[in-house]
Amino acid sequence: MIRAVLAAAVLALTATAATAQTAPPADPYDPGRKIVAELQKIVTPNGVQETLEVELGGAKQVINVRGANRDNPILIFIHGGPGSVEMPIAWSFQRPWEDVFTVVQWDQRGAGRSYLLNDPKLIAPTLKPERYRDDAIELIEYLQKRYGQKKVFVMGHSWGSVVGLSVAAKRPDLLYAYIGMGQVIDFRENERLGLEWTIEQAKKDGNAQAVAELEAIKPYPGEGALLPEKTAIERKWSIYYGALAANRRDADFYFRAPRISPEYTPADRKAWDDGSGLTIGALWPQLADISLKTVNRIDTPVILFMGRHDYTTPAPIADAWLKRLKAPKKQMVWFENSAHLPMIEEPGLTFAALLKDVRPLAGN
């Protein structure tokens, strides 16, 4: 839930203005991208580094696959948003993962580099939570066949945790474990608790402007569909108080990372913005009533990576749900100095948790 509400001021769960600018004719970030590309290059004999166009559910979509040894288990990262692709940011945290997993970044239908592959008018009616879930299932099956690898893990982040947990509930047989980061359980409760927390922080800070703006959007989330303009105000101040990135007033450090991504050109960044508008516009009215509270059993291990300070997808909600869940194995991993972005805020500890708590589930 990381992008377009503040940037567009109308359309997402969180925000950035990082890619909203028109790229200059000569891209000043091109030299940086070339340096990062060389640093990140996979050169091991049995490694894999490829970007592919695949068809999932009748829609063309882009995936990026990287790993030092294609015999390693597969880890699919399902990005948030909707529409907040992680492919152009992954260079900043993912490289260590690639020594022990084959890591797949997937631009979901209508998002990022996938946006340009399909007619938006035809894609828009298909943007439904169940379709994303089924796309993910098709992707798992495709990857298993392409790489001859049955050991698959799914990590769902933010909105992607709705998709990922839905996959785990429907097809646990496909997964060695599900990892939820910034796990969403109930959208409406998410927004209610997030607003309460943000008002509390603003009052402690003596910030009369923030309190007035936040009180003015009540009742929020209220009944019916969420109103993007109200969400924009809540996110403006929750980000300011560290609900997205702990101890930071903004997340520019994160949102500017795509500028030197080897996987994204300025045109791709423009497509990312356009895709965010499409996906949020189509999905936003459907999200308010999404709830996974009734998912009481998952027949595969479930591990949650939660930032202690996360009030973008409030951590207490996921914590309470996990305590009720029945699963072959379940575990909460807390990141004490993170909010919604542990992989960026505490990258070393995130990798350590993958090594200690996830990778052993695949066996040798």
Side-chain angles (χ1 to χ4, degrees):
M1 300 177 184
I2 312 179
R3 209 168 170 269
V5 170
L6 286 181
V10 286
L11 289 173
L13 285 175
T14 55
T16 182
T19 61
Q21 303 172 4
T22 302
D27 181 18
Y29 300 104
D30 187 58
R33 281 201 302 274
K34 291 177 180 177
I35 292 171
V36 173
E38 188 62 27
L39 285 169
Q40 299 277 303
K41 188 175 181 181
I42 300 291
V43 297
T44 48
N46 199 36
V48 56
Q49 178 179 349
E50 54 187 359
T51 299
L52 304 168
E53 180 183 307
V54 298
E55 186 168 307
L56 307 170
K60 295 177 181 178
Q61 301 174 50
V62 174
I63 61 172
N64 178 256
V65 185
R66 294 176 50 90
N69 185 345
R70 63 181 62 223
D71 294 330
N72 282 333
I74 292 169
L75 174 62
I76 304 170
F77 192 109
I78 304 183
H79 68 71
S84 295
V85 293
E86 206 71 33
M87 191 185 298
I89 299 169
W91 70 267
S92 65
F93 65 85
Q94 183 179 289
R95 183 62 188 88
W97 303 12
E98 296 163 7
D99 287 335
V100 292
F101 296 99
T102 297
V103 186
V104 180
Q105 290 288 344
W106 163 40
D107 283 9
Q108 298 161 22
R109 61 175 53 222
R113 291 177 63 176
S114 298
Y115 173 78
L116 296 174
L117 299 182
N118 305 276
D119 184 341
K121 293 180 180 178
L122 297 178
I123 284 291
T126 74
L127 300 180
K128 301 180 183 301
E130 296 80 9
R131 182 63 263 169
Y132 285 89
R133 177 200 63 200
D134 292 344
D135 281 357
I137 290 170
E138 288 187 33
L139 176 59
I140 293 168
E141 294 172 334
Y142 167 84
L143 293 167
Q144 288 177 325
K145 182 177 181 180
R146 180 175 181 85
Y147 297 107
Q149 177 58 263
K150 294 298 183 183
K151 297 177 180 180
V152 174
F153 296 87
V154 160
M155 175 182 283
H157 180 232
S158 198
W159 147 256
S161 73
V162 173
V163 180
L165 187 55
S166 298
V167 170
K170 184 175 182 179
R171 292 295 308 273
D173 57 298
L174 293 175
L175 304 181
Y176 271 62
Y178 167 69
I179 308 104
M181 178 184 288
Q183 181 66 51
V184 177
I185 298 300
D186 184 282
F187 266 89
R188 201 176 297 277
E189 181 66 7
N190 238 43
E191 298 307 304
R192 185 194 66 78
L193 187 56
L195 178 62
E196 285 185 2
W197 179 87
T198 306
I199 291 174
E200 180 182 353
Q201 306 315 303
K203 288 180 176 178
K204 288 179 180 178
D205 192 33
N207 190 332
Q209 178 188 351
V211 172
E213 290 184 13
L214 292 164
E215 292 285 357
I217 68 174
K218 290 183 174 179
Y220 178 81
E223 301 298 325
L226 299 178
L227 297 178
E229 59 271 24
K230 290 188 175 184
T231 306
I233 293 170
E234 193 282 335
R235 290 299 191 270
K236 169 186 172 181
W237 291 111
S238 66
I239 290 173
Y240 181 79
Y241 285 111
L244 182 66
N247 303 310
R248 292 180 183 261
R249 295 299 199 191
D250 58 50
D252 288 350
F253 73 103
Y254 176 70
F255 294 129
R256 290 172 178 168
R259 298 177 184 183
I260 54 173
S261 168
E263 308 303 337
Y264 260 57
T265 66
D268 293 329
R269 299 201 302 270
K270 173 64 166 58
W272 180 8
D273 282 331
D274 293 340
S276 292
L278 171 70
T279 55
I280 296 299
L283 274 168
W284 195 256
Q286 305 175 56
L287 298 186
D289 293 320
I290 288 180
S291 178
L292 299 167
K293 290 190 296 185
T294 59
V295 177
N296 297 314
R297 181 181 181 86
I298 300 286
D299 293 323
T300 193
V302 175
I303 303 170
L304 298 189
F305 285 9
M306 298 298 296
R308 185 70 73 176
H309 305 282
D310 189 351
Y311 278 86
T312 297
T313 55
I317 299 173
D319 188 32
W321 170 81
L322 187 66
K323 288 173 180 174
R324 301 191 303 267
L325 180 71
K326 296 185 184 301
K329 170 186 171 65
K330 63 179 184 178
Q331 183 177 356
M332 173 67 80
V333 180
W334 287 107
F335 294 86
E336 298 295 339
N337 294 301
S338 293
H340 196 56
L341 307 170
M343 71 285 196
I344 296 288
E345 297 176 85
E346 296 181 89
L349 292 179
T350 300
F351 181 50
L354 285 170
L355 283 176
K356 176 179 178 290
D357 302 313
V358 177
R359 183 61 176 82
L361 297 174
N364 295 328

